[in-house]
Structures are given as C-alpha cells and as structure tokens.
C-alpha cells in the first residue's frame, strides 16, 4: 500500500516517546492518599529511581523525548525536572494536581493550568503541549489550550496521524491504550482483579501495533509512566524498543513538540511533505 507521507523526507512513519511523570499525584487525586506513605511510595519511585535510569537509556540511544509533568510533582521533585531539561528533553503540562479536567469546573480547569504552568516554568520549562491526567479532557480543554497559547494536545484516540483541531491552530497527537504501559502493567491498591502482564507478552503486543502503524504511515505516540516502565525488568523492554525504533531509518523519532511543528507546517502547506521539503 502506498501512502502519502507527512513526515520529513525519507521517513515513512514516526514515533514519539512520551513519559507521564505522575509522581505521587495519581494516588493523591484518586485515593485521597496524601497521608499514606506506603501508597505514595509507588509514585515516588518514578522521579527518585526511574527517571535517572530512563534518562540513561535515552542518552545512550541519543533520543529526545517528552515528559508530561503535573505542577505539584515539579514542586516536590524539582531535581528530576531539571535533570530532564538538562538532557534537552521536552517538558509538557500534565495538570497541577492529577485531577481529570472532565471532573473539574471551568474555573478549576483554568486555575490548574495557570498553577501548573507556573510551577514548570519556574524550573525553566517552555511549555507547548498538554497531556491530560488519564487523557480525560473536558469539552472546554481544546479551547482553553488554544486561548493559553499551547501548540498541541496529546489526548485523543481518534486517529493514527496528527491533525489540527478545527477552528484553532492546536495540533492533536493521538494516543491509544495499546501503546500505554499502564494499560498492561498498572497494578495498585484498589485493582486487585487486574493481573500484571509479563514484559514478553507486552513486547509482542507493542511490536504488532508499532508495525501496523508504520505500515500505514502513522505515528506511534508511546505513553510511558516512570513508576510503571521504570521497574528493572521493564526497563530492558524500553531499551530494546527504543533501540529497534532508532535503528529503523524509515521512522522519524522526535519530541512531541517537533512532531506538532511538522504537523502544523503540513496543515499550512499540504504539498510541503509530498514534495520532500522539510522546512
Ligand atoms: Zn498521569
């Protein structure tokens, strides 16, 4: 099957490695666990142990990635955010707390954005993109992001290629549970009926989906969580996956903001990619 490509010359598909650095905030938002050190420690593992190990893997493969971070995680773990920025990775906005916009009032959603942005920018981040906690956006989210000057959202599951939200300049970088480590590996208090899958099983699932997306000229927007993918056995899977992706010269590997910029140029001049121009 021959597909027109929207990717830079010579590339037939794309991949974007994104990490949602939730820290303790998932458990604070969903289980009201602020006073439960045992529960919170599951999240602390992310910035404390997993982030340095993930940064090592990315550095070894010379890959730039995107980390979406809640403002309160940045306030609690500024060293992790600084380390991410020092390695030239992108920081994106992931709420102030980890409450889903769908559960917030309009005023609360905007207040989260203002507070979250301030916490991240104080550490030197330049925010261009947004990943909603649990990808659970509200009907107001797209308009709010456009109003506050964001370039892209990475939350919806209705495509395998980036697209522009109608009436705005906001680009969507589509995601899916299949490419999310949490769907396969997440295990915590409150979901005892869910079994932890093996890395071998998930390797197979991911390989099938990445190959299918590449065959259709789409983008694999991987969504990882340091507290999940950062377990020692799974880091080997991450290492292999990144290694295999960068070894394939037909795949454009880029940060989310770079993909959004390319998609925006393509929207402005649809002949650009087809003619092989890259700027
Ligand atoms: Zn999250």
């Amino acid at each position: 099957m021959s597909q027109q490509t929207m990717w830079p010359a010579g590339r037939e598909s794309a991949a974007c490695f994104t990490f949602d650095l939730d820290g303790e905030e998932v458990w604070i938002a969903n289980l009201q666990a602020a006073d439960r050190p045992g529960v919170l420690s599951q999240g602390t593992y992310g910035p404390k142990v997993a982030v340095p190990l993930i940064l090592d893997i990315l550095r070894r493969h010379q890959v730039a990635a995107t980390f979406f971070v809640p403002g309160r995680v940045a306030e609690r773990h500024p060293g992790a955010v600084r380390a991410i920025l020092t390695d030239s990775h992108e920081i994106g906005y992931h709420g102030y707390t980890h409450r889903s916009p769908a559960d917030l009032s309009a005023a609360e959603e905007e207040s989260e954005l203002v507070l979250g942005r301030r916490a991240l920018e104080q550490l030197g981040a330049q925010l261009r993109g947004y990943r909603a906690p649990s990808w659970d956006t509200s009907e107001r989210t797209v308009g709010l992001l456009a109003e506050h000057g964001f370039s892209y959202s990475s939350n919806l599951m209705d495509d395998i290629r980036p697209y522009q939200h109608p009436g705005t300049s906001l680009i969507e970088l589509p995601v899916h549970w299949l490419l999310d480590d949490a769907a396969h590996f997440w295990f915590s208090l409150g979901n005892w009926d869910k079994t932890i899958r093996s890395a071998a099983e998930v390797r197979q699932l991911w390989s099938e989906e990445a190959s299918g997306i590449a065959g259709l000229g789409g983008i694999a927007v991987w969504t990882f969580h340091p507290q999940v993918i950062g377990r020692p056995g799974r880091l080997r899977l991450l290492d292999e996956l990144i290694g295999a992706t960068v070894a394939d010269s037909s795949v454009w590997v880029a940060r989310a903001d770079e993909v959004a910029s390319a998609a925006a140029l393509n929207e402005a001049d649809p002949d650009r990619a087809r003619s092989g121009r890259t700027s």
Side-chain angles (χ1 to χ4, degrees):
M1 193 183 334
S2 168
Q3 294 283 329
Q4 295 289 3
T5 179
M6 62 186 298
W7 312 117
R11 310 289 184 158
E12 292 161 18
S13 66
C16 186
F17 296 105
T18 75
F19 298 84
D20 295 357
L21 182 57
D22 296 328
E24 298 83 355
E25 289 299 315
V26 169
W27 288 274
I28 293 173
N30 298 350
L31 284 177
Q32 285 77 50
D35 57 353
R36 294 162 67 182
V39 170
L40 296 183
S41 66
Q42 298 170 95
T44 308
Y45 180 86
K48 181 181 172 185
V49 177
V51 165
L53 294 170
I54 290 167
L55 291 178
D56 283 347
I57 291 173
L58 293 169
R59 205 176 297 123
R60 189 147 36 75
H61 292 293
Q62 297 185 292
V63 164
T66 297
F67 289 74
F68 295 101
V69 186
R72 289 219 304 214
V73 172
E75 289 171 351
R76 201 178 293 114
H77 302 283
V81 174
R82 288 198 189 94
I84 291 164
L85 288 169
T86 297
D87 277 11
S88 301
H89 300 297
E90 176 192 7
I91 295 281
Y93 165 60
H94 191 48
Y96 178 60
T97 65
H98 198 277
R99 293 180 298 164
S100 298
D103 296 331
L104 302 176
S105 69
E108 286 172 330
E109 186 173 357
E110 185 157 27
S111 154
E112 285 260 326
L113 192 154
V114 170
L115 291 170
R117 167 173 239 166
R118 186 181 304 156
L120 294 166
E121 288 181 345
Q122 278 177 353
L123 294 172
Q126 294 181 309
L127 303 187
R128 296 190 60 206
Y130 175 55
R131 162 81 43 79
S134 311
W135 293 326
D136 197 4
T137 55
S138 76
E139 292 179 338
R140 302 173 297 267
T141 302
V142 166
L144 187 65
L145 294 174
E147 199 179 303
H148 282 265
F150 279 78
S151 304
Y152 72 91
S153 146
S154 183
N155 295 300
L156 303 185
M157 306 195 195
D158 57 353
D159 213 325
I160 55 166
R161 296 183 187 82
Y163 63 88
Q164 193 169 29
H165 284 277
T168 75
S169 60
L170 197 74
I171 298 291
E172 183 65 36
L173 301 185
V175 293
H176 195 269
W177 294 116
L178 245 172
L179 302 177
D180 181 332
D181 58 353
H184 311 292
F185 292 128
W186 191 282
F187 186 85
S188 178
L189 283 178
N191 61 351
W192 284 103
D193 53 346
K194 191 169 184 294
T195 310
I196 298 177
R197 316 312 299 182
S198 74
E201 185 181 352
V202 177
R203 177 185 293 113
Q204 177 71 19
L205 284 166
W206 283 354
S207 161
E208 291 164 0
E209 182 69 356
S211 162
I213 288 173
L216 292 170
I219 181 167
V221 180
W222 298 95
T223 300
F224 303 119
H225 300 76
Q227 76 271 21
V228 177
I229 199 70
R231 296 308 307 179
R234 297 175 193 153
L235 281 171
R236 294 180 176 179
L237 171 59
L238 180 71
D239 196 350
E240 270 177 42
L241 174 72
I242 293 176
T245 306
V246 298
D248 184 344
S249 61
S250 71
V251 183
W252 183 44
V253 181
R255 307 189 326 188
D257 58 342
E258 295 168 328
V259 175
S261 293
L265 283 170
N266 197 56
E267 290 283 347
D269 176 9
D271 292 332
R272 182 189 67 90
R274 258 168 256 156
S275 69
R277 280 179 280 145
T278 53
S279 60

